Amino acid sequence: MSATAQAADLADYLPVRTLLHLLAVFTLVLGPHVAHLPVWASVAIAALLLWRAYATRRQWRMPSKLLRAALVLVVLGAVFASFGRISGQTAGTTLLCLMGSLKLVELRGRRDVMVMIFLMYFMLVTHFLYSQEMWTAAYLLLSCVAITALLIECQHLGTMSPRQTLRKGAVMIAQALPLMLAMFVLFPRIPGPLWGLPEDSGATAHSGLGDSMSPGDIASLIASDEVAFRVRFEGPAPAPAARYWRGPVFERFDGRTWARHWTQPPPLPADALHYDGTALRYELTLEANRKPWLFALEMPQLAELPKDASFNLNGELLAAKPVDERLRYTLRSNPRFSFAPPLDARDRERLTRLPRGFDPRSLALARQWKAQGLSDAAIVQTALRMIREQNFVYTLRPPTLGRDSIDEFLFTTRRGFCEHYSSAFTFLMRAAGIPARVVTGYQGGTLNEPGGYYVISQADAHAWSEVWVDGRWQRVDPTAAIAPERVERGLGAAIGAAEGLPGYLADRAPWRDLLRARWDWVNAQWNGLVLGYGPELQQRFLERFGIDDVRKMILTLTVLLVAGMTIVGFVLMRRAAPAHAPDAALREWQRLLRKLARRGYAPRADEGPRDFIARVLSARPAWRPLLQPPLELYLRSRYLDTPDAAALAMLHRLVRTLRLPA
Amino acid sequence: MSASVASVLQSLNQIILGKDAPLRLVLACLLARGHLLIEDVPGMGKTTLALALARVLGLHFQRVQFTSDLLPADILGVSVFETATGGFRFVPGPIFAQLVLADEVNRASPKTQSALLEAMEERQVTTEGETRPLPEPFFVIATQNPAYQLGTFPLPESQLDRFLMRISLGYPSAEAERQLLLERERRDLLAELTPTLAPAQLVALQEQVRAVRTAPALVDYILALVQRTRELPGLRQGLSPRAGLSLRRAAQAWAFIEGRSGVIPEDVQAVFAAVVNHRLIVAAERDGAATSAAEILAQVAIP
C-alpha cells in the first residue's frame, strides 16, 4: 500500500465505538425479520454480525476480493435454492438482508458506513411488507431515530456522546414528522394494499376459518386472540344468542373432514329468502384472511350486498376475490327469516350422502329413529335430547378420535367442541334421511365499550348445523343444547378455568378487559384512519379542503413543500446568523464605507473607524466637513454613549445624503 | 483631553524628551490603578521618569534598589523593640509610599519579589499578624534589565501578570538626545517642577476612568483579540481572562486621557501591545513578542 493510500485510509478511519453502534443499529433494523426469513438466513446474518464485531476487536484482516465475490454468489445461490427465485416478498427481503450483511465484510471507512446507513433506511421499509400495525410503525420510527443518530455520529466522529446523537436524531425525526404527515395525506393513492406484493399472497399465514373442517380445527383457532372482524350496529344490537355470523358452509363428509361443495353453487334466487321482523343495519370491517368469504349476520338482505359480492344457494356470502386487505362493508340483516331455496331430488341425495363403511353405530341409531316413524322435527329433537341428557361434555380439549370418529364421540368419549357436536349432529340427521349440512362462522362477539362496536375474534369461531325441515333450512346448534352459555355469554363462560382456556380468555379481570377494549379501539382507529386511508378516503378528505382532482392536489403538495422548506430555511438562516445582529449604527456606517469604497478608500479589517477616516482625510482634506460629523455620530452611537434614536436618525440622514465631491 | 491630564503630560514631556507615547502609557497605567514594569537597559531615564511622576502628581516617593540579599522585611518594614515604652513599634518599610520604584526587581530572591508583588496586588501589607493598608493612590514602577545576567531571578510569568503594562522607553531620538545634552541636568529641572495634581485629585481621576463606557461592540472586539491569542499556533499560551480585564481597564484609561466618554477600538489598539506583550508566552524561541502583538492586531477584524 502506498503512503498516500495509507494516509487516505487513516483519514477515513472508523472508531471501534462507531462500528459497534453500527452493528447494534443493524441488529435493531433487521431484528423483526427473524420471524420471516429462513432460519439459515438469520443464522448467516448473525454470524456475519458477530464476525464483524470480532474482526474489529481482534484486528483481523479483511477477506480478499475473491472471497467476497464468492460469498455474494453463494448467497445468491442459497436464496434461489430456498425460494426458487430471488424476487418477491420474502425472497427479495431475504436477499436484501443478506446482501446488506455482506456489506459488513467490506466495511472500512466512513463512506461505507454512509452506504450502510442508507441501506438500513431502505431495509426498514421492508417491515411494512409483513406488518402494518401500529407497533410496527412505532418500532420503525424508533429505528429511524437510531439510524439517524448513527448518521449524526458519523458526521461528528468522536465529538458527540451517544446520548447527544440520539437526542439530535430524535429531534430531527420529530421535525420530519409534519412533512411525513403531509406526504401521507397528500401523496396520490392507488387502489389496493400499499404494501402487499401479490406474488406472495398466502405466504403469510392468517388464521381464520378454512374451506374444510376436521375435529380440532376450530379448537385450535380459539387459541388465537386475533380479531376476525369488527361490527358497528346502527341501531341496538341483537342479543348474543342471535348473533350467528354465517361463513363457509360444508356439505361433503368423508368420515372425518367436512368440506365445501366441489363446484361453486349458483347464486340464490331472490325469492328463496323471506324476511320477517325488523332489519338491522351494520357496518362490518373484515380483517384480511386471504379467503373469499365474507361474514354476515344471518340472514343478510340480498338487495344490499357489498360491491362484487354474491350470495349463493348454500347461503354463503362470497367476495369476487380473496380478501387480501381489510375490507369494510355495510349490510342489512334480519334475524328472523325463512330460507327456502329450491331443493330437488339430486340436492336431497347429495345432502344426505354419507361415506360408506364409517360409523355403523351412529348410522344404526339414526335409522332406528327413522324406523320408529318419527317426523323429521321429532328426530331433530330426539338427537338434541340425546346430546343434552347423556353426559356429554363441552370441552376445548377433547380426546383424539380414531377412524369412526362420530361413533367414538357419540358413544365413547362424549367430550367435544362445537365442531364435534355439529359434525355428529349433521351425521345423525343425514343418516335419518334429513338433508343437513355444517355451517361455520362466528357466534357472539364482545362489545368494545369505548368504541361502541363489537369485536368478533377467532375465539368466537363456531360451527353449527342446518337441517331441511318443513321445506326450509333451519339452524340447529347442538352446542347450544349441551352448553347454552356458549351462545349466550361466550366461550369463557362455557368452559371452566380448569379446562385450560387460552390465557386471554381465562383472565377476566375487569381492568384487563377494559384495557383490551381500549387497545382494540385504538387499533380500529389506526386501521380505519391510517391503513384504510386509500383513494376514496383521501378524496373525501381532500374534498373537504376543496381539492377535488389530482392535479390540484399535486399543486397543493408543491406549494406546501416549497412553503415548508422556505420556513425551515428561514429559521435556519436566522439561527446561523451571528449572535449580535449588526446594530443600526453599524449598518449606517457600512453604507458610508460602501460610498467611500466606490471612491477607492476601504478600511483594513483591523483599522478602527477613527484611524480610517483620519487616513482618508489626510489624502482628501476637503472631505473633512462631510466625513467628520458622521464619524463622530457613529462613534457616539456605537461606542461612547448608549444608542440614542436622535443620533441614529441624524447619522442615517448624513450618510444617505452624503455626496463626495471629486 | 482633560486639562489636568494635559498639564501632567506636558510637565512630564519637559523632563523626558521625545517620549510622548510611552509617557501617555505610563499615565494610563497609573489612571487605571495598575502597576508598571519598565524593561530597559540602565541609563534610559527610568528613575528620572519615576521622580518626575512623583513630583508632578505630588506623590510620596520611595525607591528600593533590589539586590540578591534584600529581605522582605527590608521592603515591608519591621517591628523594633523600644526600651522606652517596653513594646514593639512597627517601622514601615519603603513600600509605604504612594509611588514606589522597585529598581532591578529581578536581582532579588523570589521570596522578596513575591513580597513586593503581593503587596502590589492586595494594596496592603501583613506582617506579624497585622494588616496595614498601603497609601492611596499606590503605584509601583518596577524596572527590569532585559539582558539576562548571572545571579538574577527573572520574574515568572504568573508574576508578570500582576503588572498592568510593560513598556520600554528605549533610546531617545537623535534630536531629543541632542537637546538632552544641550540643556541642564534633568535632576535640576525636576526640582523646579511644581505638582500640578494633588493625590486626592488623582484618586478622583481614577474613579472617572472606571466610569468610561465600554460598549458591547467594543467588548466583542476585546473578546476577538483575546480569542485570537488562544488560537495562534506561535503562542504557547493565550491571554487569560484577567488579561482581558486588564486590557479593558487600560483602554478605558487611554480613552479617558484622550478625553472620550467611551472606549473606541483605537484605544484598545493603542494599549494592546503594552498590556499584552509580557503576558504572551511565545512558543518558539522567537524574540517576536513585540511584533506578535502587532500581528495579532492586524489579524483581528474590528466587529
Side-chain angles (χ1 to χ4, degrees):
Chain A
M1 190 181 288
S2 73
T4 50
Q6 210 159 15
D9 272 356
L10 277 181
D12 220 12
Y13 169 71
L14 194 64
V16 175
R17 207 180 67 159
T18 302
L19 190 101
L20 292 181
H21 288 165
L22 170 77
L23 295 183
V25 174
F26 195 68
T27 314
L28 190 72
V29 168
L30 290 192
H33 270 326
V34 171
H36 321 298
L37 299 190
V39 178
W40 66 265
S42 303
V43 171
I45 290 170
L48 282 167
L49 276 163
L50 282 178
W51 175 86
R52 179 67 224 204
Y54 265 97
T56 308
R57 287 255 144 142
R58 303 270 160 90
Q59 294 289 304
W60 287 345
R61 282 161 61 106
M62 290 285 145
S64 68
K65 224 173 207 166
L66 206 66
L67 182 59
R68 296 202 304 253
L71 273 174
V72 170
L73 289 179
V74 164
V75 163
L76 268 173
V79 171
F80 192 80
S82 243
F83 296 93
R85 59 180 174 193
I86 53 169
S87 59
Q89 184 174 321
T90 308
T93 309
T94 309
L95 190 68
L96 184 67
C97 293
L98 279 167
M99 289 298 178
S101 317
L102 273 184
K103 184 83 193 144
L104 290 174
V105 172
E106 57 168 6
L107 195 74
R108 299 190 75 98
R110 205 164 61 171
R111 182 195 150 276
D112 296 318
V113 178
M114 300 309 255
V115 173
M116 281 300 283
I117 284 170
F118 290 111
L119 256 178
M120 285 195 285
Y121 277 123
F122 185 71
M123 282 189 218
L124 210 51
V125 175
T126 58
H127 288 302
F128 275 136
L129 296 176
Y130 295 95
S131 160
Q132 301 111 52
E133 281 182 54
M134 214 170 358
W135 69 264
T136 314
Y139 185 87
L140 295 201
L141 216 56
L142 282 181
S143 308
C144 234
V145 170
I147 301 176
T148 311
L150 187 67
L151 182 62
I152 294 165
E153 185 178 333
C154 284
Q155 300 299 332
H156 305 270
L157 274 183
T159 56
M160 285 173 92
S161 72
R163 181 192 288 246
Q164 282 173 310
T165 57
L166 273 175
R167 183 183 305 165
K168 197 164 175 109
V171 167
M172 288 175 78
I173 293 296
Q175 284 166 341
L177 282 181
L179 189 66
M180 185 189 87
L181 285 180
M183 298 292 273
F184 176 82
V185 171
L186 296 178
F187 197 83
R189 290 309 169 106
I190 43 166
L194 191 55
W195 300 105
L197 291 183
E199 304 148 71
D200 233 32
S201 37
T204 35
H206 279 260
S207 61
L209 292 171
D211 45 12
S212 67
M213 183 187 86
S214 315
D217 276 0
I218 291 185
S220 71
L221 259 187
I222 302 294
S224 149
D225 67 342
E226 247 177 66
V227 172
F229 52 88
R230 297 180 175 85
V231 177
R232 187 185 294 278
F233 288 98
E234 275 181 12
R243 290 203 296 264
Y244 278 86
W245 305 96
R246 193 178 173 93
V249 177
F250 302 135
E251 49 176 51
R252 281 191 300 118
F253 186 56
D254 67 355
R256 181 164 196 87
T257 302
W258 288 90
R260 293 179 71 222
H261 189 55
W262 291 113
T263 56
Q264 290 295 356
L268 186 75
D271 59 350
L273 255 175
H274 299 281
Y275 306 97
D276 218 1
T278 49
L280 298 159
R281 223 175 114 83
Y282 54 92
E283 187 189 57
L284 194 149
T285 312
L286 182 63
E287 298 293 310
N289 56 16
R290 314 244 182 211
K291 299 285 193 311
W293 29 83
L294 307 178
F295 295 89
L297 191 67
E298 287 188 333
M299 273 302 191
Q301 293 198 356
L302 300 185
E304 281 184 46
L305 292 184
K307 215 173 90 191
D308 293 336
S310 61
F311 198 77
N312 67 20
L313 209 55
N314 280 0
E316 293 171 318
L317 184 60
L318 293 175
K321 61 181 176 60
V323 182
D324 283 337
E325 58 175 322
R326 192 169 287 107
L327 185 67
R328 178 175 295 183
Y329 51 87
T330 309
L331 284 174
R332 193 189 285 273
S333 288
N334 287 59
R336 293 172 63 194
F337 58 91
S338 160
F339 183 26
L343 193 78
D344 58 22
R346 277 179 54 215
D347 293 333
R348 190 173 269 279
E349 188 277 326
R350 180 164 49 80
L351 289 164
T352 54
R353 192 184 297 157
L354 288 173
R356 217 166 292 225
F358 280 93
D359 310 300
R361 291 182 67 191
S362 309
L363 214 55
L365 179 68
R367 286 193 178 141
Q368 182 201 330
W369 290 339
K370 184 78 182 168
Q372 286 171 1
L374 293 175
S375 68
D376 289 357
I379 291 175
V380 169
Q381 289 311 318
T382 309
L384 286 178
R385 199 180 318 122
M386 167 185 165
I387 290 173
R388 196 161 36 232
E389 290 170 1
Q390 287 190 8
N391 287 333
F392 278 89
V393 176
Y394 180 63
T395 172
L396 251 180
R397 292 183 185 163
T400 44
L401 300 173
R403 179 177 180 274
D404 293 322
S405 56
I406 307 289
D407 271 7
E408 277 181 46
F409 170 65
L410 281 178
F411 300 105
T412 315
T413 65
R414 292 189 175 169
R415 299 169 66 83
F417 199 55
C418 58
E419 67 252 49
H420 298 82
Y421 288 96
S422 59
S423 172
F425 180 83
T426 310
F427 184 94
L428 286 175
M429 293 307 109
R430 286 191 172 191
I434 306 172
R437 59 194 180 193
V438 171
V439 182
T440 57
Y442 297 88
Q443 201 280 323
T446 327
L447 176 66
N448 181 303
E449 276 177 51
Y453 56 86
Y454 284 85
V455 178
I456 289 85
S457 65
Q458 301 298 350
D460 296 311
H462 194 48
W464 59 93
S465 303
E466 221 168 26
V467 292
W468 182 267
V469 178
D470 300 338
R472 59 192 174 96
W473 284 109
Q474 298 197 17
R475 180 177 71 217
V476 179
D477 188 352
T479 310
I482 170 73
E485 58 279 9
R486 161 67 186 89
V487 292
E488 279 154 21
R489 288 192 284 134
L491 187 67
I495 291 182
E499 265 274 359
L501 271 175
Y504 69 96
L505 277 176
D507 190 351
R508 304 303 286 190
W511 67 269
R512 284 190 88 133
D513 271 1
L514 195 67
L515 211 65
R516 182 192 304 284
R518 288 221 178 269
W519 175 240
D520 189 85
W521 179 75
V522 170
N523 253 317
Q525 295 293 318
W526 170 263
N527 292 340
L529 293 176
V530 179
L531 300 182
Y533 189 78
E536 286 157 41
L537 200 57
Q538 181 177 42
Q539 199 180 355
R540 245 190 294 155
F541 180 78
L542 293 180
E543 267 167 12
R544 249 196 253 169
F545 299 95
I547 303 166
D548 41 20
D549 76 310
V550 180
R551 277 186 19 220
K552 258 194 210 171
M553 194 197 54
I554 289 174
L555 192 70
T556 313
L557 201 64
T558 314
V559 168
L560 278 183
L561 260 179
V562 169
M565 294 310 242
T566 310
I567 289 169
V568 168
F570 187 72
V571 169
L572 285 181
M573 260 165 58
R574 284 296 297 267
R575 216 178 273 175
H580 302 289
D583 46 54
L586 183 59
R587 270 203 303 277
E588 298 300 338
W589 185 248
Q590 280 164 344
R591 187 175 299 168
L592 182 135
L593 290 185
R594 280 197 294 276
K595 288 191 173 186
L596 278 171
R598 265 178 248 135
R599 310 301 298 269
Y601 297 99
R604 297 189 317 272
D606 64 314
E607 197 171 22
R610 190 200 61 184
D611 288 355
F612 170 60
I613 294 299
R615 180 159 67 85
V616 173
L617 291 183
S618 68
R620 306 296 291 259
W623 289 354
R624 178 173 298 275
L626 292 171
L627 295 182
Q628 200 61 35
L631 170 69
E632 271 158 23
L633 279 170
Y634 168 61
L635 290 180
R636 214 176 98 194
S637 305
R638 191 129 190 268
Y639 294 108
L640 305 187
D641 292 327
T642 42
D644 87 270
L648 274 177
M650 182 77 160
L651 177 61
H652 177 74
R653 203 164 50 76
L654 284 178
V655 171
R656 196 165 44 89
T657 57
L658 180 68
R659 301 278 179 278
L660 294 167
Chain B
M1 194 187 300
S2 76
S4 48
V5 176
S7 62
V8 168
L9 262 178
Q10 198 199 346
S11 304
L12 291 175
N13 267 320
Q14 285 172 12
I15 306 296
I16 315 290
L17 295 171
K19 290 290 171 196
D20 185 56
L23 287 178
R24 275 172 189 251
L25 281 174
V26 171
L27 200 57
C29 185
L30 180 58
L31 288 173
R33 285 165 61 88
H35 302 288
L36 181 70
L37 180 67
I38 302 179
E39 217 172 58
D40 258 322
V41 289
M44 293 300 204
K46 292 176 296 225
T47 313
T48 312
L49 170 64
L51 281 173
L53 212 52
R55 189 91 196 146
V56 171
L57 300 175
L59 299 175
H60 176 218
F61 174 75
Q62 287 276 12
R63 171 193 174 137
V64 189
Q65 178 65 48
F66 277 50
T67 55
S68 55
D69 55 356
L70 192 74
L71 294 174
D74 296 335
I75 307 172
L76 305 178
V78 284
S79 292
V80 293
F81 186 73
E82 271 200 333
T83 40
T85 56
F88 283 95
R89 187 172 63 85
F90 181 71
V91 181
I95 192 117
F96 285 87
Q98 288 167 321
L99 199 161
V100 177
L101 176 66
D103 218 357
E104 294 193 278
V105 71
N106 56 338
R107 282 194 181 276
S109 65
K111 192 176 176 187
T112 311
Q113 285 176 359
S114 77
L116 170 75
L117 292 161
E118 253 180 68
M120 279 164 52
E121 185 71 14
E122 316 265 321
R123 291 172 182 268
Q124 62 186 24
V125 166
T126 304
T127 47
E128 289 144 20
E130 209 176 321
T131 301
R132 294 178 181 83
L134 290 171
E136 191 68 26
F138 175 67
F139 184 49
V140 172
I141 299 177
T143 73
Q144 190 168 239
N145 193 330
Y148 291 115
Q149 295 162 327
L150 232 62
T152 62
F153 304 92
L155 288 172
E157 282 121 15
S158 62
Q159 308 250 0
L160 282 173
D161 207 19
R162 304 271 167 92
F163 291 98
L164 181 65
M165 291 185 192
R166 187 189 72 181
I167 61 167
S168 60
L169 293 170
Y171 292 105
S173 63
E175 173 64 26
E177 202 161 1
R178 185 164 182 273
Q179 202 182 343
L180 182 74
L181 293 172
L182 279 174
E183 281 183 13
R184 285 195 288 153
E185 275 284 316
R186 295 288 111 180
R187 301 288 166 107
D188 296 345
L189 283 174
L190 262 179
E192 289 166 15
L193 273 181
T194 48
T196 51
L197 222 55
Q201 279 177 295
L202 181 60
V203 173
L205 290 180
Q206 286 176 337
E207 283 305 313
Q208 288 178 38
V209 165
R210 282 176 197 249
V212 170
R213 182 165 187 272
T214 44
L218 187 100
V219 170
D220 288 344
Y221 183 44
I222 292 180
L223 279 177
L225 286 169
V226 170
Q227 194 55 45
R228 183 69 194 149
T229 66
R230 295 172 190 168
E231 294 162 352
L232 274 179
L235 294 177
R236 189 140 55 82
Q237 210 172 295
L239 290 177
S240 63
R242 178 155 67 184
L245 286 169
S246 301
L247 188 57
R248 191 190 69 175
R249 210 140 49 89
Q252 280 177 311
W254 188 268
F256 181 76
I257 292 173
E258 298 268 298
R260 266 189 293 277
S261 60
V263 184
I264 64 173
E266 284 86 343
D267 297 330
V268 178
Q269 292 174 346
V271 298
F272 187 69
V275 173
V276 152
N277 266 344
H278 61 294
R279 300 172 206 256
L280 292 177
I281 299 163
V282 181
E285 274 308 326
R286 241 170 44 144
D287 191 29
T291 54
S292 85
E295 273 168 20
I296 293 165
L297 279 181
Q299 285 172 10
V300 177
I302 297 167

